[in-house]
Amino acid sequence: MTNRIPIDKIITEKNVPVPMRDGVTLYADIYRPDSSERHPVLLMRTPYNKADAQTMNYAHPSWYAQHGYVVIVQDTRGRWESEGEFQPYRTETEDGYDTIEWAAGLPYAIPKIGMYGFSYAAAVQWLAAVGRPPHLTCIAPAMIGSDSYQGKTYRSGAFALASIQSWVLFVAQDTALRQGRTDWAAELAANLAGIHGVYRSLPLKRTAAIREELAPYYREWLEHPVRGLYWTARSLRERYGAIEVPALHVGGWYDLFVDGTIENFNGVREQGATALARDNQYLVVEPWYHMPWSRYVGELDFGPEAANRIDRLQLEWFARWLKEDASQWSGVAPVQYFVMGDNRWKQSQQWPPQPAAGTPFYWRSASRANSVSGDGALSAEPPEAEHPDTFVYHPSIPVPALGGRSGAVPELTPMGPKNQLPVEVRNDVLVYTSAALEEEVAIEGNVTAVLYAATTAEDTDFVVKLVDVHPDGRAYNIAEGIVRASFRHSLEHPQPVTPGEIVRYEIPLGPTAIVFKKRHAIRVDVTSSLFPTFDRNPNRFMPPGETTEADFATATQTVYHDRLHPSHVLLPIVRSAQETK
């Protein structure tokens, strides 16, 4: 790495105009060393105010400039100082291309461009990369998914209520201010502060807190509740073959995009347009949620190894590709991942580290698994003749989400590990718990639940959570999954279910890496709502945007666990404590 340049030798230029091909001007702030020497470029394009530059998670741009970079932070189209209309993701490929090539021509810049940023500022990196701008050299996208539909706006048919509504209320404030409507901006800020009441407002298409004049895309997303051409036009998943550049993927075990982040890593590694891209995809997965990034996540402290080290990593990454410093990022394994429980780092050549079908843990009971006080058990032994468990779900009294994978602000949306006991005392939550572990059990990979269930409704949801039970009874969520029953076969062609029919559901709970410690227990919770992470299913086959309280129906859910219907969770067990001694 270069010697650090004194801060008083950094030039800051505000609101530098950047022309786009259609005549719109975007504005950027530039931080650069005050010298005759040219430097490579770091570019962040953000809808969240270039003056902030995502400094909640990253060092200030001037810090990167002190390490020998021209740092450009740009407001994306229709945001803050930049001209144009904000239409999420629509023009980011063209705008990213034009900005990169403009930056490459700056007289004080070496024409090698690296991009960084998380969330939307990560999405714009991918969208620029698919356009193949000649001077884009590498990217470092953090906390972003692979698909605009699955895992972002919807998951297996369920609308991602908390993350979408909170995001829309936040970004619409700048739109209101740009229109001179300070009253609307104040109204939006008040609604965001009271968002837990907003989450219950129906119908979703006409949520009073969200003004359609400011965020027409919100209604548009609800009008496209299935994955089709509307969504694939914005999806990275179909475009891995266009990627030509190395990428440093950063994810978090409690981030809502973690499965998509890993899919991007594997997808470009397998399908990238060049050998350079295919051979230089790197993945780092922290125990974090969407933001802020810290060793302290939810109710847990993951220790000093989980502290935010992103700036050091990025300096090494960009030195390798933008400064061609072969001593940097040398010998780094393709995958670095944090193992919760042990609170330490491991490395691998791929994800998952050990491809396997997973070890089944079966759900067992004497038909009374309702609540933590019930008789539900989790066992390696498959069931024979057992009666099913039954619970009732009504959307007016949904099971609240405690923590989990949502985004993006912990005070507004359910995020991170939290003690699940307050919901596990409910009879509409089935609880299956193993015996206390005599040895450690480590899982590293993708968790899947296989559920055999019947419902009295024509449509409903099923939610499964994997939980780590501590010896004192505290029960912390690790991973979660949901399926809207009508989407059980396809994201493109939902179909109602036949009331009373036993259906096999396969529910991805996503990736994780954790050691269940000795004397802990492994638990699975099963219910029919995870609110407000996802919208409430009315138990009717209808689009989520149109549901009102008048559509709510009661559903009786029956979960089977017998020889013909062995409901279970598949855990990617990689070792026992004895195997590591």
Side-chain angles (χ1 to χ4, degrees):
M1 296 182 189
T2 59
N3 293 326
R4 188 166 174 179
I5 300 167
I7 189 66
D8 61 358
K9 297 297 183 181
I10 300 301
I11 295 173
T12 302
E13 300 175 83
K14 296 289 188 179
N15 295 322
V16 178
V18 186
M20 299 293 105
R21 65 188 65 180
D22 61 355
V24 169
T25 299
L26 308 186
Y27 288 89
D29 295 341
I30 300 178
Y31 307 80
R32 59 184 178 88
D34 184 7
S35 73
S36 59
E37 182 182 355
R38 297 197 302 162
H39 299 276
V41 176
L42 296 183
L43 171 64
M44 174 187 287
R45 304 188 62 250
T46 174
Y48 304 125
N49 189 353
K50 59 182 171 56
D52 174 78
Q54 296 198 316
T55 51
M56 178 178 287
N57 289 336
Y58 298 105
H60 192 269
S62 60
W63 183 87
Y64 282 96
Q66 287 182 270
H67 287 85
Y69 293 96
V70 174
V71 186
I72 300 173
V73 186
Q74 181 188 66
D75 288 329
T76 55
R77 181 178 294 243
R79 303 295 297 164
W80 302 88
E81 300 296 333
S82 288
E83 296 175 357
E85 180 183 355
F86 179 54
Q87 297 178 315
Y89 311 106
R90 288 271 174 90
T91 62
E92 302 299 2
T93 295
E94 296 81 5
D95 290 352
Y97 186 110
D98 293 350
T99 301
I100 289 164
E101 295 308 300
W102 168 86
L106 292 172
Y108 42 76
I110 294 173
K112 297 173 75 71
I113 316 297
M115 297 183 74
Y116 74 104
F118 80 102
S119 197
Y120 195 105
V124 300
Q125 296 176 56
W126 287 119
L127 291 169
V130 300
R132 305 187 186 192
H135 293 99
L136 180 62
T137 304
C138 66
I139 59 177
M143 306 289 188
I144 193 60
S146 58
D147 190 64
S148 296
Y149 177 87
Q150 178 70 352
K152 178 187 177 291
T153 312
Y154 293 85
R155 185 171 290 275
S156 300
F159 181 63
L161 179 70
S163 61
I164 294 299
Q165 285 196 339
S166 62
W167 186 82
V168 170
L169 283 171
F170 175 72
V171 299
Q173 292 177 57
D174 175 60
T175 306
L177 292 173
R178 291 167 65 90
Q179 295 181 11
R181 295 303 304 262
T182 56
D183 54 336
W184 286 1
E187 178 185 281
L188 289 164
N191 289 334
L192 188 63
I195 197 166
H196 294 283
V198 174
Y199 290 146
R200 288 187 171 270
S201 177
L202 294 174
L204 295 180
K205 274 188 183 179
R206 295 192 295 277
T207 301
I210 299 174
R211 289 186 174 272
E212 188 168 355
E213 307 97 311
L214 301 176
Y217 43 85
Y218 170 74
R219 183 184 181 97
E220 196 173 286
W221 294 343
L222 283 164
E223 289 174 342
H224 293 85
V226 303
R227 191 175 189 271
L229 290 176
Y230 174 86
W231 296 106
T232 56
R234 296 159 174 77
S235 172
L236 175 62
R237 167 183 294 168
E238 282 83 9
R239 292 167 175 78
Y240 294 138
I243 303 300
E244 300 179 334
V245 296
L248 172 60
H249 309 249
V250 178
W253 292 135
Y254 286 96
D255 182 49
L256 73 165
F257 297 127
V258 63
D259 47 354
T261 298
I262 293 174
E263 184 180 9
N264 290 339
F265 164 75
N266 284 325
V268 180
R269 207 178 187 200
E270 296 168 2
Q271 305 171 36
T274 63
L276 177 71
R278 294 190 298 273
D279 295 342
N280 290 285
Q281 300 299 306
Y282 291 86
L283 173 67
V284 177
V285 188
E286 306 271 1
W288 303 335
Y289 44 34
H290 202 64
M291 67 177 188
W293 300 345
S294 161
R295 60 185 281 180
Y296 307 104
V297 186
E299 296 177 3
L300 296 182
D301 175 6
F302 287 108
E305 290 295 307
N308 186 350
R309 59 186 181 130
I310 190 64
D311 297 307
R312 177 175 63 81
L313 281 177
Q314 291 196 153
L315 280 186
E316 294 174 2
W317 175 254
F318 291 126
R320 166 65 183 87
W321 299 108
L322 302 182
K323 297 184 178 182
E324 299 182 359
D325 184 349
S327 69
Q328 299 298 316
W329 210 263
S330 176
V332 177
V335 179
Q336 302 174 60
Y337 59 100
F338 190 89
V339 180
M340 299 179 291
D342 273 357
N343 292 349
R344 65 185 181 91
W345 285 93
K346 289 186 69 174
Q347 298 181 347
S348 175
Q349 294 300 307
Q350 69 276 320
W351 185 269
Q354 299 179 16
T359 301
F361 282 73
Y362 298 95
W363 310 349
R364 309 288 300 276
S365 80
S367 77
R368 190 61 177 80
N370 308 77
S371 87
V372 72
S373 302
D375 60 13
L378 197 64
S379 172
E381 297 298 321
E384 287 294 333
E386 290 188 0
H387 293 290
D389 292 302
T390 303
F391 67 95
V392 173
Y393 159 61
H394 194 281
S396 64
I397 48 172
V399 175
L402 298 181
R405 292 170 173 162
S406 186
V409 181
E411 293 78 16
L412 305 178
T413 56
M415 294 165 56
K418 291 197 173 182
N419 188 0
Q420 300 299 298
L421 285 176
V423 296
E424 290 174 339
V425 298
R426 294 174 56 137
N427 273 349
D428 53 356
V429 179
L430 303 182
V431 179
Y432 302 96
T433 310
S434 74
L437 300 174
E438 297 180 0
E439 299 290 345
E440 292 181 351
V441 173
I443 64 172
E444 298 174 3
N446 302 317
V447 180
T448 301
V450 177
L451 165 69
Y452 292 87
T455 179
T456 57
E458 61 183 7
D459 194 12
T460 195
D461 289 349
F462 288 104
V463 172
V464 179
K465 284 188 286 189
L466 180 65
V467 179
D468 178 16
V469 184
H470 290 223
D472 62 3
R474 288 174 299 143
Y476 290 104
N477 52 302
I478 299 164
E480 62 199 29
I482 189 170
V483 63
R484 186 141 293 179
S486 54
F487 286 78
R488 63 199 180 280
H489 298 310
S490 167
L491 298 179
E492 293 80 15
H493 305 290
Q495 300 174 337
V497 293
T498 301
E501 178 183 356
I502 302 175
V503 175
R504 182 185 185 276
Y505 298 94
E506 192 165 307
I507 307 174
L509 274 61
T512 194
I514 185 170
V515 175
F516 293 93
K517 308 299 283 187
K518 188 176 180 179
R519 292 187 294 278
H520 285 224
I522 303 172
R523 176 175 290 168
V524 168
D525 293 345
V526 182
T527 186
S528 282
S529 50
L530 194 64
F531 181 78
T533 301
F534 299 103
D535 68 312
R536 295 166 287 172
N537 193 317
N539 297 319
R540 297 189 187 277
F541 182 58
M542 61 188 304
E546 299 175 5
T547 297
T548 70
E549 288 85 351
D551 299 305
F552 287 176
T554 302
T556 299
Q557 321 288 46
T558 304
V559 173
Y560 292 82
H561 43 83
D562 55 47
R563 184 175 58 84
L564 295 178
H565 311 100
S567 294
H568 59 277
V569 63
L570 290 166
L571 300 182
I573 296 176
V574 295
R575 62 171 173 81
S576 69
Q578 292 178 337
E579 291 170 333
T580 63
K581 292 180 179 177

